[in-house]
Amino acid sequence: MENKFIVNDLDLYYKDFQALKNININIETNKVTAFIGPSGCGKSTFLRCLNRMNDLIDSARIEGSIIFDDVSINSMNPVDLRTKVGMVFQKPNPFPMSIFENVAYGPKCQGIKDKKVLSNLVEDSLRAAALWEEVKDRLNKSALGLSGGQQQRLCIARAIAMQPEVILMDEPTSALDPIATAKIEELMSELKKNYTIVIVTHSMQQAARISDNTAFFLLGELIEYDKTEKIFSIPSDKRTEDYITGRFG
Amino acid sequence: MTNQKNLIDDSIIVLRLDIKNLTGMIVEQYKKVISSIKTRDIDTALEVIKNDGEINQLCEDIDLETIIVIARYQPVASDLRRVMTINKLAYEFERVADYAKNIAEYVITGKKLNVLKTAEIIASFEKMFEIIFRMLKTNLQAFLDEDKLMAREALLMDNEIDELYKSNFDELLQKFKQTNDESEQHMISRALVLNKQIERAGDHLTNVSEQILYLIKGKRFNAE
């Protein structure tokens, strides 16, 4: 399928405040899509719509439709949806348990008990997250002893262990140093072969480096959505131009 | 939303000034080279050759500075197109300047060989030089004002040069066929080369116009 998500006329309100205004966007399968825009523009709010994380906020009201692989996400069980649409957050948030248990936790909750199956799944996920070589000899050590960059890759491995189709990333490298950032970015280009990736980032350069498509949000509106090379060389909208060249203020 | 000044702006202002100075230097070079042809003045021709070193140096400086600006500010969108345009303009202008130097060298060797009959050459080439001046000036203004109509105007001037090149070529070839005088033939063959040099300068100035149109419109001229 060419599009993993098809979003039509999406509005989101926090009580009386409209945080997202008439969003229409298609998220392509096996591509990296970046959401950019100033703080408060709605990009993270929109990201969280894609796996119904906003359902957890009482005051949030959503109108419009989000189709995931031909199915409206509202008709899906949110737990099933979040199994298929995993998420990685800004701050690495490993569970206070061993490296192995962090990755095995989700599959265990799903009922997988076979030790061999679990250990294969943990290894595959850690390999996919480019962390295996660094942790294979200390799988039973606490995940909290890992570096920030390793913790973030562990969180990616934890998401991958659920065998999702989409990985949502909300500023996944903003707490990392440039080397750890480079590793995550390299990982993303590897992961998109098997997953659809949507990333919120404040780094223009990061969006330019890693994404195939870029969406620019401003004040709750999707201003421009196009191929990344087009956005960063010849944006169509003056507001996009002003934002990415740093003349927005 | 307001437009705020950005750190890269200062660097671009300096680079634009460099391009302005570079164009001015090239105009001077062509003025001198025309005068040296007219007056068969070797000293002026030598000066053109010497000045070409300064032009090359300025072009190298601009090239280096654009690389530094890219490394420091990682420009995007119109900033990126502007910096890339400045880099390419420096390259193209450097080539245009080279032709002035080449012509000056012909003047010098021509004088030594005593084969350069200035009156005939000037009649053939003065018009072409005049268009080169107009192209330089119009391109510079188009670049500074980011004015696509001016860039288009400069671009079309090359057609005039091409026509003059062809008619000069035919005329010189006729003359060549008609004469058995060896020194006359030598002079004509040099004039043929000179004709080509000016035509090539026009081609590089056309590249300049195209690059400016890319800067303004974000697509190649022939994409229309």
Side-chain angles (χ1 to χ4, degrees):
Chain A
M1 204 164 303
E2 196 185 331
N3 292 314
K4 191 49 88 175
F5 287 103
I6 298 172
V7 179
N8 285 316
D9 304 328
L10 188 92
D11 294 307
L12 184 143
Y13 302 85
Y14 291 123
K15 287 187 180 149
D16 294 337
F17 174 71
Q18 187 169 3
L20 291 172
K21 296 169 190 167
N22 194 34
I23 307 295
N24 287 282
I25 191 171
N26 294 343
I27 308 285
E28 285 185 84
T29 306
N30 292 111
K31 292 274 160 64
V32 176
T33 301
F35 294 168
I36 60 170
S39 297
C41 70
K43 58 191 188 301
S44 288
T45 299
F46 179 60
L47 188 79
R48 294 157 59 89
C49 287
L50 297 176
N51 67 349
R52 289 180 56 184
M53 292 281 279
N54 292 317
D55 288 13
L56 308 172
I57 301 167
D58 286 339
S59 63
R61 180 165 58 86
I62 301 169
E63 289 168 11
S65 77
I66 300 179
I67 308 295
F68 172 72
D69 279 347
D70 278 344
V71 181
S72 166
I73 61 168
N74 288 332
S75 68
M76 295 174 75
N77 176 331
V79 176
D80 289 345
L81 174 66
R82 286 173 206 144
T83 306
K84 288 180 174 161
V85 184
M87 196 157 188
V88 175
F89 298 87
Q90 179 176 359
K91 219 169 148 243
N93 54 354
F95 303 135
M97 37 177 95
S98 73
I99 294 167
F100 185 93
E101 287 302 325
N102 259 277
V103 183
Y105 187 81
K108 272 186 179 172
C109 288
Q110 277 192 317
I112 299 175
K113 293 199 174 83
D114 185 313
K115 279 194 174 161
K116 185 74 187 155
V117 173
L118 277 175
S119 94
N120 283 343
L121 191 55
V122 167
E123 178 173 342
D124 290 349
S125 304
L126 287 169
R127 280 189 192 281
L131 190 59
W132 175 252
E133 290 302 325
E134 291 164 56
V135 299
K136 63 182 178 190
D137 299 324
R138 49 170 165 154
L139 291 173
N140 295 321
K141 294 269 166 62
S142 168
L144 302 177
L146 297 172
S147 73
Q150 288 171 326
Q151 286 188 10
Q152 194 62 306
R153 276 179 285 145
L154 180 67
C155 293
I156 293 171
R158 194 172 64 188
I160 290 170
M162 298 299 283
Q163 298 176 305
E165 292 170 33
V166 181
I167 304 175
L168 307 177
M169 299 188 176
D170 195 353
E171 296 183 54
T173 62
S174 61
L176 304 182
D177 71 24
I179 293 166
T181 297
K183 278 195 176 153
I184 301 271
E185 288 182 357
E186 200 185 325
L187 179 58
M188 275 185 247
S189 66
E190 197 56 41
L191 289 175
K192 76 171 180 181
K193 290 172 191 162
N194 299 313
Y195 308 93
T196 300
I197 295 175
V198 187
I199 176 175
V200 164
T201 176
H202 270 134
S203 160
M204 296 301 108
Q205 280 78 38
Q206 180 166 69
R209 278 194 299 267
I210 61 163
S211 70
D212 300 292
N213 299 313
T214 297
F216 170 58
F217 289 81
L218 184 66
L219 300 170
E221 284 181 74
L222 174 60
I223 303 296
E224 189 169 351
Y225 178 50
D226 214 321
K227 298 263 171 245
T228 296
E229 60 262 33
K230 169 95 173 22
I231 294 280
F232 285 96
S233 63
I234 329 146
S236 303
D237 196 290
K238 172 93 171 45
R239 291 166 292 180
T240 314
E241 164 96 26
D242 285 344
Y243 180 68
I244 63 174
T245 59
R247 286 184 180 77
F248 168 86
Chain B
M1 192 186 296
T2 54
N3 270 10
Q4 72 184 23
K5 209 168 153 317
N6 203 343
L7 283 173
I8 195 175
D9 292 349
D10 289 338
S11 299
I12 289 178
I13 288 169
V14 173
L15 282 166
R16 283 158 62 94
L17 205 59
D18 285 342
I19 291 290
K20 195 178 169 187
N21 291 338
L22 178 60
T23 315
M25 285 163 87
I26 295 169
V27 168
E28 284 308 307
Q29 287 285 82
Y30 274 89
K31 278 186 184 163
K32 285 201 171 93
V33 91
I34 294 167
S35 148
S36 75
I37 294 171
K38 278 183 177 169
T39 60
R40 301 169 76 187
D41 176 8
I42 294 248
D43 287 342
T44 311
L46 283 169
E47 209 180 316
V48 170
I49 292 166
K50 182 176 147 281
N51 290 349
D52 191 57
E54 283 175 34
I55 290 180
N56 288 346
Q57 185 59 53
L58 179 56
C59 291
E60 270 179 42
D61 291 346
I62 293 171
D63 181 63
L64 194 66
E65 187 56 32
T66 55
I67 291 168
I68 291 169
V69 167
I70 290 169
R72 284 176 72 99
Y73 305 113
Q74 289 135 42
V76 293
S78 62
D79 285 339
L80 177 61
R81 301 203 303 276
R82 213 163 274 130
V83 174
M84 289 308 294
T85 295
I86 288 166
N87 182 287
K88 288 196 175 177
L89 256 51
Y91 168 79
E92 298 292 349
F93 279 140
E94 194 257 335
R95 298 297 303 273
V96 174
D98 280 346
Y99 291 112
K101 186 190 78 170
N102 292 352
I103 296 167
E105 282 168 354
Y106 283 117
V107 171
I108 292 164
T109 47
K111 167 107 180 187
K112 280 179 191 156
L113 294 165
N114 200 24
V115 290
L116 202 72
K117 293 192 180 170
T118 55
E120 284 169 63
I121 289 179
I122 282 303
S124 309
F125 299 129
E126 198 148 34
K127 268 189 187 166
M128 284 172 96
F129 279 126
E130 191 257 325
I131 299 165
I132 294 283
F133 282 129
R134 274 199 284 137
M135 283 180 97
L136 276 163
K137 284 173 183 167
T138 311
N139 269 328
L140 176 66
Q141 212 52 49
F143 167 70
L144 293 176
D145 298 346
E146 298 191 2
D147 180 334
K148 66 180 171 196
L149 290 178
M150 274 192 135
R152 282 278 248 304
E153 197 184 313
L155 186 81
L156 294 173
M157 288 179 197
D158 191 48
N159 295 337
E160 298 176 52
I161 292 200
D162 287 347
E163 275 171 31
L164 285 167
Y165 166 77
K166 279 181 204 131
S167 70
N168 282 345
F169 183 87
D170 292 343
E171 198 183 314
L172 289 163
L173 200 63
Q174 276 302 319
K175 281 185 182 169
F176 193 92
K177 285 176 184 167
Q178 283 161 4
T179 182
N180 290 321
D181 182 308
E182 210 174 288
S183 74
E184 180 87 4
Q185 285 178 344
H186 203 142
M187 186 280 287
I188 295 167
S189 65
R190 301 192 74 77
L192 279 166
V193 174
L194 231 154
N195 192 34
K196 185 71 191 166
Q197 298 271 316
I198 307 171
E199 191 262 341
R200 290 295 296 144
D203 287 345
H204 285 283
L205 289 170
T206 304
N207 294 346
V208 167
S209 312
E210 285 173 352
Q211 184 63 37
I212 295 167
L213 282 170
Y214 172 74
L215 158 65
I216 301 163
K217 294 161 73 85
K219 58 182 180 184
R220 292 279 152 204
F221 180 68
N222 56 15
E224 284 189 307

